Amino acid sequence: MVQNTGKLTLYNTLGRETRTFEPLAEGRVGFYGCGPTVYNYAHIGNLRAYVTHDILTRTLRRMGYDVTHVMNITDVGHLSGDNDEGDDKVLKSAEERGKSVLEIADFYTKAFFNDTERMNIERPTVVCKATEHVGEMIDLIKRIEANGYTYLSGGNLYFDVGKFPAYGELSPRNDQKARSRVKEDPNKRNPQDFVLWFTRSKFEDHALAWDSPWGRGYPGWHIECSAMSIRYLGEQFDIHAGGIDHVSIHHTNEIAQSEAATGKRPWVNFWVHNEFLIQDKGKMSKSSGGFITLRSLMDAGYDPLDYRYFLLGGHYRSQLQFSWESLETAKNARRSLMERIRVLGAGSGGRRGSGARGLSEKANAHLAAFNRALEDDLSSPRALAELWGLIRDPDVEAGEALACAVDMDRVLGFGLAGEDRGGDDPEREKEIERLVAERTAAKKVKDYAKADGIRAILNEQGILLEDGPAGTRWHKIQGWTQGR
Ligand code: AMP
Ligand code: ZN
């Protein structure tokens, strides 16, 4: 039988090498992924970042880790240039639309989670808004200041990169050069210095302002991620992720602030960055106009999961070119996949291979190859190919193939578990309802042995029962752990 290593190897931007992942605390993973700036709809490039986070957390969970996934919502402080120039994105959007900042932030936060839900992206364990954590940001800045890394200039409090020798270790030299082309702010000692707290600035009329030891004002963008990740994950944690554009400024500055405040290095062990989704014109971005949203895909007749399928066909560290033709290809492939799952469902009479009796060697080999693909720096294209290999293998019995496909889907997230259920097989659904009713009747007459027996039979078939005040509900087990 093929053996899995059971270890995840990840490419770490810090050190630019592929390393075996080891968590700080056994069995647990602290993961922070930079969230959206809520001044507009997410474009499909942004969604690539969140699908990457999703594949990472789902893989870790499937491997048995207890993952705390934290995501911030940037509703203040992100200027149009990452390097402290331009307007506050949310404020500008509010002004243009004649709404309050909070209305805008609320509206686009909801729109964001609608999108992620439609794409089957699991909700993070903690979602935290910048505006609700300004106290934590001020406390962190105070620590940075007490340790001697700041200066006041032109009314703003700056981080002095000259005092932090390890500055920039996340970015290679050419990124650094690109940074130095940024327009000079005369208040800065070094062009790479950045604002921790704005008091006097171009935005005297900033709608959101807080009192602080440095005067009434608002935080810089980078400090929010340091403050909130430390608040929820501690002063050192396992993995931090974001798009590749965050490497040279945002994440570089986050590291400097956090390590300057706590004195602990490294702040984060693994840095994971997804490459861009590109169009003919180049990188898709909110500012370049003409960006495509999930809604545009849906209006053109695509299911959000077609787009998820399209994304998983590329490795997260390779640029991915979006085109309607390749989305069409993904759509057709996903349709065939669903069709195949339905055929397997019918072929097995809705019964999934039994966990108790174990898997055949063949099925096990497919699962092991699938695991290896994901454990090899989250290779979703290979994992997808392994799923296809499994469901097309004539030597794997239908129920077993179905069970393994559903298990693989715990990471792929195409909703395969529901595909062989319900409307497609009303007879089967009736049978489940009948057994559930029989169990309820048995419980009423205190025949617990019979009730437990029925539950065991259903569990064996991949049906989970939940007893609640409104009676017993049932659903298919989302996944199946045999074979790991
Ligand atoms: P934002 O809402 O602009 O802060 O960006 C949200 C996330 O999307 C960040 O992690 C960005 O790095 C990422 N991102 C932005 N543009 C793209 C793109 N074209 N392809 C993939 N990821 C992107
Ligand atoms: Zn961030």
Side-chain angles (χ1 to χ4, degrees):
M1 205 204 331
V2 194
Q3 292 297 321
N4 297 328
T5 59
K7 291 276 185 194
L8 176 65
T9 54
L10 275 180
Y11 180 80
N12 192 352
T13 310
L14 186 63
R16 312 248 152 195
E17 58 176 5
T18 303
R19 271 175 48 197
T20 301
F21 175 73
E22 294 289 351
L24 289 169
E26 206 185 324
R28 298 218 312 266
V29 177
F31 167 54
Y32 185 90
C34 287
T37 307
V38 283
Y39 69 105
N40 204 337
Y41 292 105
H43 60 62
I44 57 173
N46 300 134
L47 292 171
R48 185 178 195 200
Y50 303 111
V51 166
T52 304
H53 301 180
D54 194 46
I55 295 299
L56 173 61
T57 49
R58 283 172 179 260
T59 298
L60 288 164
R61 288 193 175 122
R62 189 163 172 281
M63 293 180 78
Y65 290 108
D66 177 1
V67 182
T68 304
H69 173 193
V70 179
M71 178 196 276
N72 63 305
I73 300 288
T74 301
D75 51 3
V76 65
H78 193 173
L79 308 189
S80 59
D82 286 354
N83 217 17
D84 303 334
E85 353 90 56
D87 300 324
D88 183 295
K89 292 183 179 190
V90 181
L91 189 62
K92 187 160 171 254
S93 172
E95 276 171 4
E96 282 169 2
R97 290 166 169 83
K99 304 265 186 205
S100 76
V101 172
L102 286 180
E103 277 170 339
I104 287 293
D106 254 21
F107 178 85
Y108 288 114
T109 303
K110 286 199 183 99
F112 173 76
F113 283 115
N114 275 339
D115 283 353
T116 54
E117 204 170 294
R118 287 186 177 125
M119 287 193 73
N120 244 347
I121 295 171
E122 284 179 348
R123 217 173 162 101
T125 328
V126 176
V127 174
C128 40
K129 292 183 185 177
T131 47
E132 290 173 2
H133 294 78
V134 176
E136 280 92 340
M137 297 184 214
I138 292 174
D139 288 346
L140 198 69
I141 299 172
K142 280 192 202 158
R143 290 172 72 184
I144 301 169
E145 184 179 45
N147 290 344
Y149 293 94
T150 63
Y151 61 92
L152 269 167
S153 178
N156 297 330
L157 187 75
Y158 287 87
F159 186 94
D160 187 348
V161 304
K163 299 259 171 68
F164 190 77
Y167 186 80
E169 63 186 339
L170 195 65
S171 4
R173 217 159 272 153
N174 54 353
D175 279 7
Q176 294 291 324
K177 270 199 208 122
R179 295 167 50 93
S180 62
R181 283 200 298 272
V182 170
K183 195 160 51 104
E184 292 249 349
D185 170 349
N187 293 324
K188 292 184 183 180
R189 291 181 187 164
N190 181 315
Q192 292 167 348
D193 291 351
F194 54 93
V195 177
L196 295 166
W197 189 265
F198 290 96
T199 57
R200 223 168 311 130
S201 70
K202 299 156 263 195
F203 322 111
E204 292 298 345
D205 55 347
H206 202 288
L208 295 171
W210 292 262
D211 289 323
S212 84
W214 315 282
R216 193 164 172 76
Y218 60 97
W221 172 42
H222 316 297
I223 196 72
E224 69 167 272
C225 287
S226 294
M228 291 193 273
S229 57
I230 289 174
R231 157 83 170 74
Y232 293 102
L233 297 171
E235 295 192 349
Q236 289 180 296
F237 58 94
D238 299 297
I239 310 176
H240 194 314
I244 193 94
D245 54 330
H246 285 345
V247 176
S248 63
I249 298 179
H250 184 48
H251 289 166
T252 289
N253 292 352
E254 281 187 40
I255 293 175
Q257 302 164 146
S258 306
E259 295 183 356
T262 66
K264 294 178 185 161
R265 275 169 52 77
W267 171 47
V268 174
N269 274 346
F270 279 81
W271 286 85
V272 172
H273 292 100
N274 65 277
E275 253 295 351
F276 284 137
L277 178 81
I278 51 171
Q279 287 172 295
D280 300 340
K281 292 173 270 173
K283 179 203 158 194
M284 189 172 294
S285 73
K286 290 183 193 173
S287 51
S288 68
F291 70 77
I292 302 174
T293 60
L294 195 64
R295 167 62 44 204
S296 348
L297 303 190
M298 289 160 71
D299 289 345
Y302 293 96
D303 187 305
L305 293 183
D306 294 334
Y307 183 54
R308 185 177 175 102
Y309 192 102
F310 164 80
L311 287 178
L312 296 191
H315 188 264
Y316 77 95
R317 281 202 300 119
S318 303
Q319 281 197 350
L320 187 59
Q321 171 96 31
F322 176 79
S323 71
W324 292 99
E325 294 74 38
S326 32
L327 184 60
E328 183 67 21
T329 308
K331 171 180 167 175
N332 291 332
R334 197 180 71 85
R335 296 283 141 90
S336 314
L337 169 64
M338 293 314 204
E339 186 47 38
R340 184 75 197 131
I341 294 296
R342 274 189 285 263
V343 168
L344 289 174
S348 64
R351 225 193 109 267
R352 295 203 191 126
S354 159
R357 268 173 278 124
L359 284 179
S360 69
E361 206 167 307
K362 260 274 175 162
N364 240 324
H366 284 293
L367 266 188
F370 175 85
N371 293 340
R372 276 201 309 276
L374 287 172
E375 287 162 11
D376 182 8
D377 198 22
L378 309 173
S379 180
S380 60
R382 263 175 54 208
L384 255 185
E386 296 300 344
L387 167 65
W388 275 106
L390 162 83
I391 61 179
R392 281 187 176 140
D393 188 339
D395 296 337
V396 180
E397 180 262 323
E400 209 174 47
L402 193 61
C404 293
V406 167
D407 183 46
M408 293 176 178
D409 197 51
R410 287 164 70 196
V411 176
L412 300 174
F414 298 134
L416 299 187
E419 210 40 41
D420 59 327
R421 150 181 187 171
D424 289 322
D425 188 358
E427 283 312 310
R428 162 112 186 97
E429 200 163 14
K430 260 196 234 152
E431 170 66 5
I432 296 169
E433 301 287 0
R434 195 188 60 72
L435 283 169
V436 171
E438 201 176 317
R439 175 172 168 271
T440 307
K443 276 194 352 187
K444 254 202 186 121
V445 297
K446 298 197 175 1
D447 187 352
Y448 294 117
K450 183 173 178 190
D452 288 347
I454 294 175
R455 179 197 281 273
I457 289 169
L458 286 169
N459 284 357
E460 172 75 7
Q461 297 171 4
I463 306 296
L464 213 59
L465 303 184
E466 272 178 61
D467 294 323
T472 303
R473 295 188 321 155
W474 64 270
H475 63 88
K476 291 245 155 128
I477 294 173
Q478 275 276 349
W480 190 75
T481 48
Q482 182 64 29
R484 286 206 60 86

